[in-house]
Amino acid sequence: MWNRAGKLLTQRAELVYSAACARCGSADSGSRWMKPSGFDTGLQIHNSLTKQKEALILAREGVATWYSCGPTVYDHSHLGHACSYVRFDVVQRILTRLLGITVIHAMVITDIDDKIIKRSLEENISPTILARFYEDEFKKDMMSLKVNPPAVYLRVTENVPQIVRFIERIIRNGHAYPTEEGDVYFDIGSIGNRYGRFVASVEPEVEAVTNSRKKDVRDFALWKRSKPQEPYWESPWGSGRPGWHIECSTVASSVFGSQLDIHSGGIDLAFPHHENEVAQSEAYHQCGQWANYFIHSGHLHVKESGEKMSKSLKNYITIKDFLKAYAADEFRMFCILTKYKSGIDFSEGSMLDAQVTLRTISNFCHEAEAYMRGQLQCGSVQEAVLWERLAETKARVQAALTDDFDTPTAMSAVMNLVHHGYRQLQPSVKAEGQARSPAVFGAMTTYVRDVMDMFGISLLHSKVAELDHSSSVSLETILEQLTNFRSQIRAFALSKKDHPSGSKRELYPERIPLVEACDKLRDDLGSLGVTIKDRGPTSTWEITRGGPSQGQKIQENETTS
């Protein structure tokens, strides 16, 4: 099928490509990674291109260009998707909050695809209407999970003319070929040994040689000819639509040009999707290295079966269903407790671990605030030791997060600080008049809240806002007034009278029902996720869960564990 002219064109493309690589300093490097020139962030990042940690060097000081593959919008997103997006949201927050780096994030929305077409035909609606509906649902899910939106979303269907021009240039550069039927394929053979950067990350599927229109079984479609009942666009090769991989290369290049700092995605996208992205992008730009760093998140597994959570296996939980039982912060903590690139097992037990971690931190901050307000009387505090622990924690957290965003190690350091603080906050009835150390607890709680906020996790005040976002009067104000009123009633009910015989003072019998009513109110609010703690003549309150059903769920878990 391919004549001598075609072979000469391929040979010429290989020479041109080699020359371009030589200009980039990689003429004989094959697929070897080249260390970028630019500004060293002081952070180590695991680069899937080299399969090891590398120094994160950015082309522009204080700015990171970041591209990620967005969803194919044909159905509701599930927890597997959520895990990847939340993890990379945490990574971006660390870059911004810890290192002061402005992240320019672009994400593509795949709104034309075989799955979208199939689903639209099944439901007898327009593919555009279907895609827009699930795109909106995806964005709502991300908002519910507190994932920061990218700087820009770009739809495939709104970039088809750019995709056509992108393909035309790859053909002109000698790295793609059209067929008589109207398809266009990327020519893997034209780039020599530069294909295969991610094969070691994920084993490629073996494709049977059934398509005689291809020069090589590895060649992949840049443009697909139209079929009956499918959407199509006009192109130099006839009516059709873009292939899957080309959309990302085109959109990323339209925003960032020929150089990209970071490209992210789930590990299942490494091969063949990201592999093909790199091949066609470098063929288009005629450069030796298009993206400097690829980072991949591990799979979310269903613990009972060990399977990856996916729609094809029908073992998934939608984000919407999940958030009916758990809070967004609980899922975020669940993600943070493992490294972003590691696989993660989802189960009720692992979610309970996340809940307990959050509750421990929240309780510590609450106890420390009560101590600072003088509502919690404690013995002598080892202030110098706590200041030292705080300094050590800051250093450990900084070291962990600059070592490939090691959030579990950072959280371990934070929890160690919390436990040391708790040990100093032991109530004592003999603490009256002793020296107090509120400043160190103020520093500790402020730092813990700052770290949690950097991770995108809210503690008390944000939880209150989430629960009562639609009310003109804040829930915090209502609970404060209720607790103060209860404290006054309780103090009145617990006041004692002198016994006629002059012996020990005793409660007024007629006020005992008031004490019982105060206790019942405390217990009832506890079942709804509001904890009231009586501290002598005063009381404090704390929201421990995000809603009634979750509070009940936690109590049941604590009863059975």
Side-chain angles (χ1 to χ4, degrees):
M1 181 175 179
W2 298 98
N3 56 24
R4 185 170 180 271
K7 293 179 180 179
L8 290 174
L9 181 61
T10 299
Q11 291 171 358
R12 177 180 176 276
E14 291 173 348
L15 291 173
V16 171
Y17 198 80
S18 297
C21 293
R23 288 194 298 271
C24 297
S26 61
D28 59 353
S29 63
S31 59
R32 188 178 64 193
W33 181 74
M34 296 174 290
K35 184 177 180 178
S37 59
F39 299 89
D40 194 332
T41 62
L43 183 145
Q44 293 283 309
I45 185 171
H46 186 273
N47 191 354
S48 296
L49 290 168
T50 62
K51 303 171 183 62
Q52 64 183 21
K53 293 177 187 176
E54 306 286 356
L56 177 60
I57 300 172
L58 304 176
R60 187 183 297 274
E61 186 174 12
V63 176
T65 56
W66 184 308
Y67 177 80
S68 65
C69 303
T72 300
V73 283
Y74 71 99
D75 202 348
H76 291 290
S77 298
H78 59 65
L79 279 193
H81 303 132
C83 188
S84 182
Y85 291 121
V86 168
R87 283 170 147 183
F88 287 130
D89 179 70
V90 171
V91 168
Q92 291 181 355
R93 287 170 182 265
I94 292 170
L95 287 173
T96 300
R97 291 286 298 274
L98 190 68
L99 301 178
I101 293 170
T102 299
V103 177
I104 308 172
H105 180 201
M107 178 184 290
V108 74
I109 299 290
T110 301
D111 59 344
I112 186 64
D113 174 86
D114 291 341
K115 294 175 182 177
I116 295 172
I117 295 170
K118 180 183 178 187
R119 183 76 178 269
S120 69
L121 291 173
E122 290 172 350
E123 299 189 8
N124 195 29
I125 61 173
S126 160
T128 301
I129 294 175
L130 179 82
R132 292 294 181 274
F133 173 79
Y134 285 114
E135 177 186 336
D136 289 342
E137 291 298 294
F138 166 77
K139 291 176 179 177
K140 290 175 185 176
D141 286 341
M142 293 301 102
M143 187 179 297
S144 297
L145 291 168
K146 304 197 297 186
V147 173
N148 286 329
V152 60
Y153 287 108
L154 299 109
R155 299 186 182 115
V156 173
T157 57
E158 294 174 353
N159 284 270
V160 175
Q162 295 91 319
I163 292 173
V164 169
R165 290 194 293 271
F166 202 93
I167 296 171
E168 286 181 308
R169 183 166 170 178
I170 294 177
I171 293 173
R172 287 198 305 271
N173 289 342
H175 298 293
Y177 55 93
T179 67
E180 294 177 356
E181 294 82 0
D183 298 308
V184 179
Y185 290 100
F186 187 85
D187 185 0
I188 295 293
S190 70
I191 62 173
N193 66 343
R194 297 188 59 79
Y195 191 78
R197 288 171 170 86
F198 298 115
V199 176
S201 300
V202 177
E203 284 297 318
E205 295 181 4
V206 179
E207 180 184 356
V209 184
T210 59
N211 190 343
S212 60
R213 296 185 298 274
K214 289 185 179 183
K215 294 170 60 177
D216 187 305
V217 68
R218 298 173 300 168
D219 293 352
F220 55 90
L222 303 181
W223 185 262
K224 298 179 179 180
R225 70 187 184 278
S226 62
K227 297 177 182 178
Q229 295 184 300
E230 287 189 354
Y232 64 87
W233 288 261
E234 295 301 330
S235 78
W237 318 287
S239 58
R241 58 186 173 89
W244 173 32
H245 315 296
I246 194 66
E247 64 189 49
C248 289
S249 294
T250 302
V251 167
S253 296
S254 70
V255 178
F256 300 118
S258 62
Q259 190 70 67
L260 177 65
D261 289 322
I262 301 171
H263 193 313
S264 65
I267 187 61
D268 53 318
L269 296 178
F271 189 93
H273 183 51
H274 291 164
E275 187 76 56
N276 293 346
E277 270 191 73
V278 171
Q280 62 201 8
S281 297
E282 293 178 356
Y284 173 87
H285 293 294
Q286 291 289 274
C287 68
Q289 186 162 291
W290 169 58
N292 290 328
Y293 303 89
F294 270 84
I295 58 175
H296 291 106
S297 59
H299 284 144
L300 180 73
H301 296 102
V302 181
K303 189 170 184 179
E304 288 75 13
S305 64
E307 295 177 327
K308 177 186 80 169
M309 184 175 289
S310 69
K311 290 176 181 175
S312 61
L313 295 174
K314 302 185 186 307
N315 62 353
Y316 64 92
I317 303 169
T318 66
I319 295 171
K320 284 179 173 54
D321 286 342
F322 173 83
L323 290 177
K324 293 175 184 176
Y326 297 98
D329 282 344
E330 292 168 346
F331 183 70
R332 190 166 282 255
M333 179 57 73
F334 162 76
C335 293
I336 286 169
L337 291 176
T338 58
K339 294 183 178 180
Y340 74 91
K341 66 177 184 293
S342 301
I344 182 170
D345 291 331
F346 175 77
S347 66
E348 288 189 8
S350 58
M351 284 305 304
L352 182 59
D353 290 342
Q355 291 172 325
V356 169
T357 301
L358 273 176
R359 188 162 65 243
T360 301
I361 294 171
S362 182
N363 287 347
F364 165 70
C365 291
H366 182 72
E367 295 288 290
E369 287 176 357
Y371 173 79
M372 287 185 280
R373 287 194 296 262
Q375 296 172 326
L376 175 61
Q377 300 298 322
C378 298
S380 180
V381 170
Q382 295 178 300
E383 184 174 351
V385 173
L386 290 181
W387 283 115
E388 183 179 349
R389 293 287 184 185
L390 177 59
E392 291 173 355
T393 301
K394 289 181 177 181
R396 287 182 62 195
V397 169
Q398 178 84 15
L401 297 183
T402 54
D403 183 15
D404 195 30
F405 313 101
D406 188 351
T407 54
T409 298
M411 278 305 307
S412 175
V414 169
M415 295 306 293
N416 190 50
L417 176 69
V418 166
H419 290 311
H420 278 288
Y422 252 135
R423 289 168 59 184
Q424 301 288 328
L425 290 175
Q426 298 302 316
S428 173
V429 296
K430 300 179 180 180
E432 191 72 31
Q434 290 193 15
R436 302 179 70 255
S437 306
V440 68
F441 284 100
M444 292 169 68
T445 56
T446 298
Y447 176 71
V448 169
R449 282 200 175 98
D450 284 346
V451 172
M452 294 300 102
D453 188 59
M454 174 174 60
F455 291 158
I457 290 178
S458 312
L459 295 179
L460 176 64
H461 300 295
S462 292
K463 284 185 179 180
V464 171
E466 287 175 8
L467 285 172
D468 195 51
H469 61 86
S470 61
S471 175
S472 59
V473 179
S474 73
L475 180 60
E476 182 177 16
T477 301
I478 295 171
L479 287 174
E480 188 70 31
Q481 292 295 325
L482 176 63
T483 303
N484 288 339
F485 177 73
R486 178 184 173 277
S487 294
Q488 293 176 31
I489 298 297
R490 185 171 176 273
F492 172 75
L494 291 175
S495 62
K496 298 179 179 180
K497 65 178 180 178
D498 293 330
H499 195 275
S501 65
S503 60
K504 187 177 179 180
R505 304 181 71 195
E506 60 184 21
L507 295 175
Y508 291 92
E510 65 272 18
R511 299 182 187 179
I512 290 177
L514 290 176
V515 178
E516 294 172 346
C518 288
D519 290 344
K520 185 175 186 305
L521 176 62
R522 179 195 61 209
D523 296 341
D524 289 346
L525 288 175
S527 67
L528 298 175
V530 178
T531 298
I532 292 181
K533 294 184 179 180
D534 295 317
R535 307 178 186 278
T538 62
S539 301
T540 59
W541 62 270
E542 177 186 12
I543 293 178
T544 53
R545 292 295 99 200
S549 63
Q550 293 169 20
Q552 186 64 39
K553 182 179 179 67
I554 298 301
Q555 286 193 337
E556 291 171 359
N557 284 335
E558 289 176 340
T559 302
T560 58
S561 60

